[in-house]
């Protein structure tokens, strides 16, 4: 999805948030249960933008029907190189209703989990204040 990719690459997280459906389901690479809703998903995107270093998308894959997309990326968390993919599904209005992130290798996923875990109270608070 070109608009999401461009927003993330430009660190325009307000524009990225505007592309999320109100009931978006975000599936984290390090948490079992998906997070549901625009406020928590936007807060997670904001936090991860501060955790990832040298983030860049390297490939974009789109289905012929235009509703499923894969954005392949590379980044760093501390000294760990990450390869990952954002799997995106859009609803009939063109808003992102599913966002699933996968990363590898395991040591990078563990570094990401630790870095995001350290921020999760702030993430949850931001989501609460945005949903009011």
């Amino acid at each position: 999805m070109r608009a999401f990719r461009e927003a993330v690459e430009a660190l325009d997280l307000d524009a990225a948030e505007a592309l999320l459906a109100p009931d978006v389901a975000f599936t984290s690479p390090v948490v079992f249960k998906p997070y549901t809703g625009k406020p928590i998903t936007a807060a997670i995107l904001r936090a991860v933008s501060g955790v990832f270093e040298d983030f860049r998308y390297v490939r974009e894959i789109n289905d012929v029907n235009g509703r499923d997309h894969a954005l392949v990326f590379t980044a760093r968390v501390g000294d760990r190189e990450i390869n990952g993919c954002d799997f995106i599904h859009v609803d009939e209005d063109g808003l992102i209703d599913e966002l699933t992130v996968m990363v590898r290798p395991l040591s990078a996923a563990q570094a990401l989990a630790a870095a995001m875990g350290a921020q999760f109270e702030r993430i949850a608070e931001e989501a609460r204040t945005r949903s009011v």
Side-chain angles (χ1 to χ4, degrees):
M1 158 172 259
R2 177 61 70 187
F4 183 78
R5 177 181 181 165
E6 289 174 355
V8 170
E9 288 176 330
L11 292 176
D12 185 351
L13 300 176
D14 290 334
E17 181 178 357
L19 297 168
L20 301 175
D23 61 346
V24 60
F26 174 78
T27 304
S28 163
V30 296
V31 178
F32 173 72
K33 184 180 174 189
Y35 296 99
T36 303
K38 188 174 186 173
I40 189 67
T41 301
I44 291 168
L45 289 175
R46 289 180 199 290
V48 81
S49 73
V51 168
F52 279 160
E53 300 172 55
D54 302 326
F55 179 90
R56 66 186 178 94
Y57 286 116
V58 295
R59 187 174 323 130
E60 184 173 338
I61 304 164
N62 300 296
D63 79 4
V64 290
N65 296 320
R67 304 237 353 233
D68 290 292
H69 311 272
L71 300 174
V72 180
F73 65 85
T74 62
R76 239 179 352 93
V77 175
D79 64 349
R80 300 292 176 187
E81 296 291 326
I82 291 181
N83 302 105
C85 190
D86 293 336
F87 293 100
I88 298 170
H89 181 270
V90 296
D91 64 16
E92 56 280 345
D93 296 321
L95 296 175
I96 298 169
D97 61 357
E98 294 175 23
L99 174 57
T100 299
V101 180
M102 294 190 181
V103 298
R104 65 158 306 281
L106 178 59
S107 62
Q110 291 168 330
L112 177 60
M116 291 297 289
Q119 296 189 44
F120 210 79
E121 253 185 62
R122 187 189 60 73
I123 293 169
E125 180 58 29
E126 179 183 332
R128 275 191 295 277
T129 59
R130 287 178 166 266
S131 63
V132 177

